[in-house]
């Protein structure tokens, strides 16, 4: 770089000498002093650009390089500090979980745990090896305390899942309870009326309606607001028999005789 600077400097001196000789040769005496001052001023600016501009640019590049190096070093140091801080908190969380679940392992569900640890707040953990729980919530408080709560997160059941669970709810249906709440009163009223008019049987349909031969034009009429499903009919028959009625499953209905 310095060789090129000296070459340009000697070149500028040659140009200056040529310009001065030209002024003395062609410029009259009245204008000569002003023109010479102008020539030397231009030459001085040129020399300044040749000598100092590369040095200024080099100094600027050096400062930028040192600044980037310093910022990179600070960033790496900050990253190492955050990493160490996260590890300390990880050990505290693991110790808390292992006190109750020795086989527990976990991972951060929160995207930036270092930011959470610095600012405080609640973060989510994904658990492994913890029966009945799949998540944990960690509350990191500004005073240094830490609270850990176990969570069980399950998806909201879809309409299809609810339909599949309907038979399970139906399996819990108790015909004896149905008879005590609704069946006894309805049957007693129907049988009292039908028996007084010479009937001795009726048919209970799956939809809760009742059919009586020779009554209502042999059409089914509503009677029960709810009725046991077919899977409970054998038990319903036993309940009716225990109450003194003769009952049996007749195809798609239950026939009751008295």
């Amino acid at each position: 770089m310095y060789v090129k600077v000296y070459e340009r400097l000697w070149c500028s001196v040659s140009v200056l000498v040529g310009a001065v000789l030209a002024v003395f040769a062609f410029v009259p005496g009245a204008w000569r002093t002003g023109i010479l001052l102008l020539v030397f001023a231009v030459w001085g600016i040129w020399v300044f650009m040749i000598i100092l501009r590369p040095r200024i640019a080099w100094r600027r590049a050096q400062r930028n390089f040192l600044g980037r190096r310093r910022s990179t070093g600070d960033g790496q140091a900050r990253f190492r500090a955050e990493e160490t801080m996260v590890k300390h908190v990880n050990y505290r969380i693991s110790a808390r979980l292992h006190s109750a679940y020795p086989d527990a392992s976990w991972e951060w569900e929160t995207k930036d745990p270092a930011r959470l640890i610095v600012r405080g707040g609640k973060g989510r953990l994904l658990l492994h090896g913890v029966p009945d729980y799949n998540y944990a919530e960690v509350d990191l408080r500004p005073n240094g305390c830490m609270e850990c709560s176990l969570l069980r997160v399950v998806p909201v059941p879809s309409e299809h899942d609810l339909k599949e669970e309907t038979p399970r709810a139906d399996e819990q249906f108790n015909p004896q309870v149905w008879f005590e709440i609704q069946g006894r009163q309805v049957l007693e009223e129907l049988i009292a009326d039908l028996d007084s008019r010479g009937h001795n049987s009726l048919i209970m349909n799956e939809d809760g309606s009742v059919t009586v031969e020779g009554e209502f034009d042999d059409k089914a009429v509503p009677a029960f607001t709810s009725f046991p499903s077919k899977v409970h009919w054998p038990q319903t028959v036993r309940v009716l028999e225990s109450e003194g009625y003769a009952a049996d499953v007749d195809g798609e209905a239950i026939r009751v005789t008295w």
Side-chain angles (χ1 to χ4, degrees):
M1 182 182 70
Y2 291 105
V3 174
K4 292 182 178 180
V5 170
Y6 286 124
E7 289 179 354
R8 292 178 181 177
L9 182 60
W10 284 113
C11 180
S12 67
V13 172
S14 301
V15 172
L16 175 63
V17 172
V20 171
L21 293 177
V23 169
F24 277 101
F26 299 104
V27 177
W31 295 87
R32 187 174 298 164
T33 303
I35 298 299
L36 287 175
L37 291 175
L38 179 61
V39 169
F40 277 101
V42 173
W43 178 79
I45 295 173
W46 188 9
V47 170
F48 174 80
M49 297 295 292
I50 291 174
I51 297 176
L52 295 182
R53 186 178 179 183
R55 185 176 294 274
I56 293 173
W58 180 78
R59 290 287 186 183
R60 185 179 300 168
Q62 188 178 26
R63 285 196 301 270
N64 293 338
F65 173 75
L66 293 176
R68 287 195 300 269
R69 185 176 180 181
R70 189 178 298 109
S71 62
T72 302
D74 294 342
Q76 292 177 350
R78 184 167 57 252
F79 174 76
R80 287 194 295 269
E82 291 179 353
E83 188 177 22
T84 302
M85 181 174 55
V86 171
K87 288 180 180 178
H88 279 291
V89 175
N90 289 351
Y91 277 116
R92 291 182 62 190
I93 295 173
S94 297
R96 181 71 62 86
L97 291 174
H98 288 162
S99 63
Y101 302 95
D103 298 330
S105 60
W106 59 276
E107 57 185 288
W108 282 103
E109 188 78 4
T110 302
K111 292 184 178 180
D112 191 357
R115 183 184 182 91
L116 172 68
I117 293 170
V118 171
R119 297 191 174 186
K122 295 182 179 181
R124 182 67 61 87
L125 310 177
L126 178 62
L127 300 180
H128 306 283
V130 179
D132 301 327
Y133 299 99
N134 50 6
Y135 287 93
E137 186 177 73
V138 178
D139 186 6
L140 301 173
R141 300 177 181 176
N143 58 3
C145 295
M146 182 186 72
E147 295 293 335
C148 186
S149 304
L150 299 178
L151 304 174
R152 178 173 177 80
V153 180
V154 295
V156 177
S158 62
E159 184 178 355
H160 177 70
D161 296 332
L162 292 175
K163 289 181 179 179
E164 289 184 348
E165 291 180 358
T166 301
R168 297 181 183 177
D170 189 61
E171 289 175 1
Q172 299 177 358
F173 184 86
N174 191 330
Q176 182 67 50
V177 175
W178 168 83
F179 183 80
E180 295 295 339
I181 295 176
Q182 180 184 175
R184 182 189 299 277
Q185 180 180 357
V186 174
L187 279 177
E188 287 179 353
E189 293 177 357
L190 285 173
I191 291 174
D193 177 58
L194 294 173
D195 186 57
S196 66
R197 292 186 284 113
H199 295 281
N200 62 356
S201 67
L202 60 82
I203 296 174
M204 298 187 298
N205 301 305
E206 186 178 6
D207 60 356
S209 62
V210 172
T211 304
V212 180
E213 295 179 358
E215 288 283 334
F216 317 117
D217 297 330
D218 292 338
K219 294 181 180 180
V221 294
F224 302 97
T225 57
S226 64
F227 195 74
S229 59
K230 286 185 178 181
V231 295
H232 299 292
W233 282 5
Q235 187 178 356
T236 304
V237 169
R238 289 193 294 270
V239 171
L240 293 171
E241 290 176 345
S242 67
E243 296 294 331
Y245 301 102
D248 63 326
V249 177
D250 184 10
E252 299 296 321
I254 297 178
R255 179 180 291 273
V256 179
T257 306
W258 57 89

